[in-house]
Amino acid sequence: MLEDNTQTFVDSAGSPQVCLSQAQGGRRPFAHQIQQISLTTYAIRNTITGVMNESAIKKPPAGLAVFALVGPSFVWAAEYIGSGEVIVATRTGAILGTTVLWAIVSGVFLKFWIGMSGARYTVCTGEGMIDMFDRMPGPSHWAVWIVLVAQFATAAISIGALATAAGVFVNSLLPAGFIVGVSSAVSSFISHLPLEKLHVTAEQIYRAFPSLCGWLVTFLAVGIVWSGIFNVLKIVMSILVLIIVLGVLYVAAFVFPGFSEFLKSLCPSVPHVPEWAVELEGVSSNPWKEILPLLGWAAGGFASQVWYTYWVLGAGYGAAAGRGYGKAADVSMLKNMSRDAAEKIKGWCRVLYVDSTLAMVMGIVVTSAFLIAGAGILRPAQIAPQGPQVAIELSNLFSSRWGHVGGFLFLLSGTAALISTQIGQLAGWPRLLADSVRICIPAFNKKFAWKTQFRLFLLFFVCTNMIMVFCFKEKPVLLVQIAAILDGLLLTPFQALWVAVGLFVVMPKMLSKEAAEVLKPSRLFAVGLIIAFLVFGYFCVFQIPSALFGG
C-alpha cells in the first residue's frame, strides 16, 4: 500500500498550491493524480476569476487561546516605549510633577484608536495603512505624497534621536575602567596603522564613546531587522518589553504618590513651571514645551500607528494571512468574499482587539511609571535632565535613593526601551517609505523589488544615524523633543481622519455585500477617531506654534 504524501500549502501571494510527491518505492494511482491536478486547476481558476481564496484565512482562536497568538502588540509597545518615555516622561515628571499624567493617558488612549482602527482595516482587507491612504478620495496618491515628504525628513531625525539617546544610556551602563581600557586599546591599534596623518588619542575616543555606542546600537538593530522576518522581531521585542516593565515598575513603586493624588492627576490641568526649573538651561516658562513632546510620543507618533499594520500583516491575522509586505489588496477577490470567510475574519478582529488593548495598557503603565519616577526622585532634587550626562544624572540619583540595584535597574530598563524602539523604527520606517515610493514613484518600484527598497532605506538610515549621533551627542534631549513634535503631532490629526474614511467609506466598497455587512465597524471606532482628530488638531493649531516660536 502506498503512502499519501500530497501536501497543500499557501504561497506568499496567498494562493493555494498542491505539492505532488511520491512515496518511496512506488507511484500514485492515476485517479489520485487526476484528483490532485483538479485541485490545482481549481486554485488557479479561482485566482484568475477573482474568487476569494478562503483557505488561506485560518480559523480564529477562541477563549484563552487568543493570548497565545498576541504578538504585534509586543512589537508595537516595545517600539513606541522609547525616548518619549525614558527621557521625555522622566524629565516632564521632574519639571511638572504627576499633575500631567492625564497627558499620557489621553495620548496613548487616543492613538490606540488610530492604531487599532488602521489594523482592523488590515485584518479585513489584507493591506497596510499606506495602501489605505492611497485610496483616499481626491487626486491620485495625494495623501501618500504628503506622508512620503513629511516622514522622510522625520525618519532621519527620529532615528538619529533614538541612536543618540541609546548611545548615552549604553555608555552609562558600561564600567568606566572598561571604557578607558577599550579607548586605550583602540588608540594603540590606530597608531600602528600605516597612516601618518591619522592620530587619535585615547582621550578623544573616550569622549566619543557615547557616539560609538549609538553606532553600535544602530548596527545591532540593522542586523535584527535585515531579514524582515516578523517572528525574529517578535521574540527580541518581547524580551526587551519584559526588561522594561520589570525595571521601571520596581523604581516607580517606591515613589508612588498615593491613589488620591494619582486620581487627581488624571483630570486635565496645566501647571506652572517652577522657578527653579526656569532658571535651568533648556527649560522654558511655557509648560506646553514639556507637555507637547510627551503627548507626541506617548504611544508613538504617526509612523508607529502605520507600523502596527505591518506587524499585523506579519502575524497573518484574518485576510492578512500569507500576503506579506509591499502589496495592495486584491479588490477583485475581496469583492467575492463569502459570509463564512467574513465571519472568520470577524473572529480575527476580536483577536486584534485583545492584542491592541494589551499594547495600550503596557504603554500607559510604563510611561506613567517613568513620569512618576521623575516626579518622585528628580523633582525634589530640582534636577531636569538635559545634556549628554542625562543617563549618568538619572543613575546617580536613583542609586543614591535605593543603592546600586535601583540605579542599575532604571538604567537597564531605559536602555532596553531605547534599543527596542531603535529596532522598531529601523524595521518600520523603511517599510513605510518603501510602500510610499512603490505607490508614488512606480518607475523606482519596477527597477527594485520591494525587499530591495526596504534594505536600501535601511542602509540610508544607517548613514544618517552616524551623522546625527556625531553631531547631536551633546543635545540628546533637544533632539528627542523635536522628533516627538514632528512625528507625534503634526500629521496625527490627518491620520485619524484618513483612517476613519478608510474604515467607514473605502473598506465597504472593497468588500462583497455579504462581507461588508458582517465586517461593518462599530460606531465606537468613529467616535474614537473623531475625538482623536479634534484633540490632536487643537494641539497642532493652538499649542505647537506657541511652544515652538513663543516664549
Side-chain angles (χ1 to χ4, degrees), residues 218-254:
T218 299
F219 292 137
L220 171 67
V222 169
I224 292 172
V225 306
W226 183 263
S227 67
I229 299 174
F230 174 75
N231 284 338
V232 174
L233 195 63
K234 172 184 171 181
I235 293 170
V236 173
M237 300 294 248
S238 299
I239 294 171
L240 291 172
V241 164
L242 181 62
I243 295 173
I244 296 165
V245 171
L246 293 178
V248 75
L249 288 184
Y250 173 88
V251 172
F254 285 90

Side-chain angles (χ1 to χ4, degrees), residues 135-301:
R135 300 183 190 277
M136 292 296 105
S140 179
H141 312 320
W142 68 274
V144 182
W145 268 112
I146 293 175
V147 173
L148 177 59
V149 173
Q151 290 295 301
F152 192 84
T154 303
I157 296 174
S158 297
I159 294 176
L162 259 297
T164 302
V168 170
F169 268 72
V170 171
N171 180 76
S172 66
L173 274 177
L174 300 174
F178 173 81
I179 298 175
V180 171
V182 171
S183 300
S184 299
V186 173
S187 176
S188 177
F189 174 77
I190 293 175
S191 66
H192 287 86
L193 294 176
L195 300 171
E196 296 181 0
K197 294 184 178 181
L198 184 62
H199 178 68
V200 181
T201 66
E203 184 180 352
Q204 289 174 320
I205 296 174
Y206 183 87
R207 288 200 301 266
F209 218 82
S211 298
L212 297 176
C213 290
W215 292 349
L216 180 64
V217 169
T218 299
F219 292 137
L220 171 67
V222 169
I224 292 172
V225 306
W226 183 263
S227 67
I229 299 174
F230 174 75
N231 284 338
V232 174
L233 195 63
K234 172 184 171 181
I235 293 170
V236 173
M237 300 294 248
S238 299
I239 294 171
L240 291 172
V241 164
L242 181 62
I243 295 173
I244 296 165
V245 171
L246 293 178
V248 75
L249 288 184
Y250 173 88
V251 172
F254 285 90
V255 289
F256 186 73
F259 281 102
S260 59
E261 186 176 340
F262 175 77
L263 292 176
K264 288 180 183 177
S265 65
L266 297 178
C267 299
S269 63
V270 181
H272 295 290
V273 179
E275 292 184 6
W276 65 263
V278 176
E279 295 174 357
L280 299 176
E281 181 184 358
V283 179
S284 169
S285 59
N286 183 355
W288 285 106
K289 282 194 174 183
E290 302 298 331
I291 297 174
L292 287 178
L294 186 64
L295 273 167
W297 266 3

